[in-house]
């Protein structure tokens, strides 16, 4: 393939996939994966890291949203310039070497995608225990049935899967919005948003506000995880040059507003002393406490329903988006040929979807699932940094490529976001060096698999 042919294949909007995802569908994929059960408890970790200072905590939520948005805009530029299925696999292939993109995809294929799907399915069924008596074995059986069911309707086309994602997005937002707005209007507490106590805490603990801000933003960023998944379905988005960046901006921007308002609503209902007492007693579900305070017993039910829909949206979004990455690996040539075949009628990568389901079911049956999924956290952050750095590299490599959308405040925005993710990576290694180190073995194994396929391809070409 000549350079011109390669460039044309990267930038063309012609595709074998069906373009059936609109702007709201794109927003639902982003928000559906991002907004999980963490909205009800992650605020506790942010408060802990800001010395229990409400004002600094809210600043962290907003700054984490801005960082995620700028990172998302980097993906928007890359996705509109190269609207191909697979997302970051494509960008890493072109900016560095196909082995780098393969390592990212392999990590998600082996553990990241299936592990997350399995973990969320189990967590969802644990919440369902508040409505039904389910044994530990029953939880695993129900989680497996849920995964298989989600896989089946994802196999019959992206239109059905996208519609389910949009419905679950609305279904999760309704109970969250009910709790938030009632709390905002009913809450009588006037939270102290000054930074005075944060300065005192910093002096007492031999640190400074900037350091406190940094580690608290790290905690908040976990709530924003998932924004990168929309690019994996770029070939199934209608008018991607317009709708991809629009969905990213609205999706991440909307989630940022939601998180900031929800955490402010908590502060409007629960006195600061009560919040501190709960966190010190490891009762981290501040959102649940707020719901019960303003809505009574019904509040607990509403939160449980919201958590179930939130986790279902996260799971369905992963089932929908991840297989397109495995498809891109096969399309590049260094993976199983069956992975790049689309269903003749439904135009979805059937084999990757089924294999992902099998892996997810196997992982449901294993113990220590949290430890298993933690293994890929560090490697995932490494690839996030590399994708951000891929943007200036690809601007230099392909200066004449059509870029319908360009990231704001370039190159300052790219440098700042890259540094933030490097800091996140370092923080993750410091907090969990064992699992962090083990997590690096997964992409390393991916590199080995890549070169095995590469050797076979070269031998067949002789």
């Amino acid at each position: 393939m000549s350079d011109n042919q390669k460039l044309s294949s990267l930038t063309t909007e012609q595709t074998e996939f069906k373009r059936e995802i609109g702007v709201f569908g794109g927003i639902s994929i982003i928000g559906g994966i991002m907004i999980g059960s963490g909205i009800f408890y992650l605020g506790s970790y942010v408060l802990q890291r800001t010395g229990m200072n409400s004002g600094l905590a809210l600043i962290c939520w907003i700054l984490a949203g801005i960082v995620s948005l700028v990172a998302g805009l980097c993906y928007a530029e890359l996705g509109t310039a190269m609207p191909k299925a697979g997302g970051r696999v494509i960008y890493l292939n072109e900016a560095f070497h196909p082995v780098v993109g393969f390592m990212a995809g392999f990590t998600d294929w082996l553990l990241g995608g299936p592990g997350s799907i399995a973990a969320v399915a189990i967590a969802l069924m644990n919440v369902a225990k508040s409505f039904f008596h389910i044994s530990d074995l029953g939880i695993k059986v129900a989680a497996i049935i849920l995964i298989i069911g989600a896989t089946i309707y994802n196999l019959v086309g992206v239109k059905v899967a996208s519609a389910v994602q949009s419905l679950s997005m609305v279904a999760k937002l309704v109970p969250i919005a009910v709790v938030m707005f009632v709390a905002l209007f009913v809450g009588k507490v006037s939270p102290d948003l000054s930074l005075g106590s944060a300065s005192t805490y910093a002096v007492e603990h031999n640190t400074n506000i900037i350091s406190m801000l940094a580690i608290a933003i790290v905690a908040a960023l976990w709530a924003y995880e998932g924004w990168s998944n929309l690019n994996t379905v770029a070939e199934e988005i209608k008018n991607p040059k317009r709708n991809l960046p629009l969905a990213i901006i609205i999706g991440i921007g909307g989630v940022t507003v939601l998180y900031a308002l929800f955490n402010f609503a908590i502060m409007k209902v629960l006195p600061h002393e009560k919040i501190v007492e709960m966190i010190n007693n490891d009762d981290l579900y501040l959102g649940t406490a707020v719901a019960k305070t303003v809505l009574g017993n019904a509040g607990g039910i509403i939160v449980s329903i919201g958590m179930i829909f939130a986790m279902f949206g996260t799971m369905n979004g992963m089932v929908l988006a991840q297989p397109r990455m495995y498809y891109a690996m096969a399309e590049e040539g260094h993976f199983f040929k069956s992975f790049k075949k689309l269903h003749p009628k439904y135009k979805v990568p059937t084999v990757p979807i089924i294999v992902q389901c099998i892996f997810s079911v196997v992982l449901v049956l294993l113990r220590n699932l949290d430890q298993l999924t933690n293994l890929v956290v560090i490697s995932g952050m490494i690839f996030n940094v590399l994708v951000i750095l891929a943007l200036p590299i690809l601007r230099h490599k392909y200066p004449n490529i059509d870029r319908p959308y360009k990231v704001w405040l370039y190159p300052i925005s790219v440098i700042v976001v890259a540094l933030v993710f490097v800091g996140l990576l370092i923080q993750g290694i410091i907090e969990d060096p064992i699992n962090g180190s083990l997590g690096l073995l997964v992409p390393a194994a991916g590199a080995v698999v890549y070169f095995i396929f590469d050797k076979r391809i070269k031998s067949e070409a002789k």
Side-chain angles (χ1 to χ4, degrees):
M1 183 184 294
S2 68
D3 289 343
N4 287 337
Q5 288 176 319
K6 182 180 180 182
L7 190 59
S8 176
S9 68
L10 285 171
T11 58
T12 182
E13 289 190 38
Q14 294 182 351
T15 179
E16 293 183 51
F17 286 92
K18 290 183 178 181
R19 294 196 180 275
E20 296 186 316
I21 301 176
V23 174
F24 187 74
I27 294 170
S28 297
I29 290 174
I30 293 175
I33 295 175
M34 289 172 69
I35 305 170
S37 60
I39 190 173
F40 296 101
Y41 67 85
L42 280 172
S44 297
Y45 293 112
V46 177
L47 279 165
Q48 281 179 325
R49 296 185 179 195
T50 56
M52 301 298 182
N53 184 276
S54 301
L56 198 59
L58 287 177
I59 290 173
C60 288
W61 281 108
I62 295 169
L63 289 179
I66 292 172
V67 169
S68 299
L69 179 58
V70 176
L73 296 181
C74 292
Y75 269 71
E77 176 174 329
L78 293 167
T80 53
M82 301 177 181
K84 306 299 293 179
R88 68 181 182 184
V89 169
I90 302 297
Y91 319 141
L92 295 174
N93 285 349
E94 294 303 314
F96 301 102
H97 186 280
V99 70
V100 181
F102 186 91
M103 288 163 67
F106 182 85
T107 301
D108 279 326
W109 173 71
L110 186 63
L111 287 177
S116 298
I117 291 167
V120 173
I122 290 174
L124 188 156
M125 289 305 163
N126 273 310
V127 174
K129 283 177 67 175
S130 60
F131 298 101
F132 312 101
H133 177 70
I134 310 175
S135 65
D136 290 342
L137 176 61
I139 286 175
K140 291 199 171 189
V141 172
I144 290 171
I145 293 172
L146 184 64
I147 292 169
I148 293 174
T151 298
I152 290 172
Y153 65 72
N154 268 274
L155 286 170
V156 298
V158 73
K159 187 174 184 178
V160 174
S162 179
V164 170
Q165 187 69 7
S166 296
L167 287 172
S168 69
M169 176 71 172
V170 173
K172 81 165 71 174
L173 285 179
V174 169
I176 290 173
V178 167
V179 172
M180 183 177 71
F181 285 117
V182 171
L184 286 172
F185 287 106
V186 173
K188 300 185 183 301
V189 178
S190 297
D192 180 9
L193 301 181
S194 66
L195 304 183
S197 66
S199 299
T200 303
Y201 179 90
V203 172
E204 291 176 352
H205 291 79
N206 195 28
T207 184
N208 57 72
I209 289 183
I210 299 299
S211 297
M212 292 166 61
L213 199 65
I215 62 171
I217 288 175
V218 167
L221 279 171
W222 294 123
Y224 288 91
E225 279 293 304
W227 48 262
S228 63
N229 285 279
L230 182 60
N231 285 53
T232 63
V233 295
E235 287 189 54
E236 292 157 283
I237 297 175
K238 302 172 186 175
N239 190 9
K241 293 184 177 181
R242 171 186 177 273
N243 293 341
L244 179 64
L246 193 59
I248 287 175
I249 292 169
I250 296 173
I252 301 177
V255 170
T256 301
V257 173
L258 176 66
Y259 284 165
L261 284 177
F262 192 86
N263 282 277
F264 180 67
I266 290 172
M267 299 169 190
K268 285 273 292 180
V269 172
L270 300 179
H272 188 68
E273 296 76 17
K274 175 68 174 177
I275 292 175
V276 173
E277 180 187 347
M278 287 181 63
I279 294 175
N280 287 339
N281 291 328
D282 290 329
D283 185 0
L284 305 180
Y285 280 83
L286 302 177
T288 304
V290 167
K292 291 179 178 178
T293 300
V294 299
L295 297 171
N297 291 333
I301 296 173
I302 289 173
V303 166
S304 295
I305 293 172
M307 289 174 68
I308 287 172
F309 280 117
M311 287 186 282
F312 177 78
T314 298
M315 188 199 74
N316 182 68
M318 298 290 287
V319 173
L320 167 62
Q322 291 293 113
R324 276 66 179 174
M325 194 180 297
Y326 320 143
Y327 163 87
M329 294 160 62
E331 186 72 14
E332 188 275 328
H334 288 79
F335 212 39
F336 306 109
K337 293 180 180 179
S338 59
F339 275 45
K340 67 177 181 178
K341 293 180 181 179
L342 300 183
H343 190 279
K345 178 180 178 181
Y346 301 119
K347 299 300 180 183
V348 296
T350 304
V351 175
I353 294 174
I354 293 174
V355 170
Q356 177 178 255
C357 175
I358 294 171
F359 280 12
S360 300
V361 168
V362 170
L363 292 178
V364 166
L365 298 173
L366 296 178
R367 295 182 177 181
N368 300 321
L369 195 58
D370 289 340
Q371 293 178 3
L372 186 62
T373 54
N374 282 341
L375 292 180
V376 297
V377 169
I378 301 299
S379 57
M381 286 188 284
I382 291 174
F383 294 121
N384 269 339
V385 173
L386 290 177
V387 171
I388 302 301
L389 296 178
L391 191 145
I393 293 173
L394 291 173
R395 279 199 182 188
H396 177 74
K397 185 176 181 179
Y398 300 122
N400 299 319
I401 199 173
D402 179 32
R403 291 178 171 83
Y405 175 84
K406 290 188 177 182
V407 68
W408 304 336
L409 301 176
Y410 178 88
I412 296 173
S413 55
V414 173
I415 294 171
V416 171
V417 171
L419 289 174
V420 169
F421 277 106
V422 169
L424 182 63
L425 172 62
I426 294 171
Q427 182 70 24
I429 293 174
I430 291 172
E431 290 185 356
D432 194 354
I434 296 177
N435 277 330
S437 300
L438 290 174
L440 297 178
L441 294 177
V442 180
V448 173
V449 173
Y450 173 88
F451 286 112
I452 290 174
F453 274 91
D454 193 61
K455 184 177 180 180
R456 190 185 72 181
I457 291 170
K458 289 177 179 177
S459 65
E460 291 175 351
K462 292 180 180 179

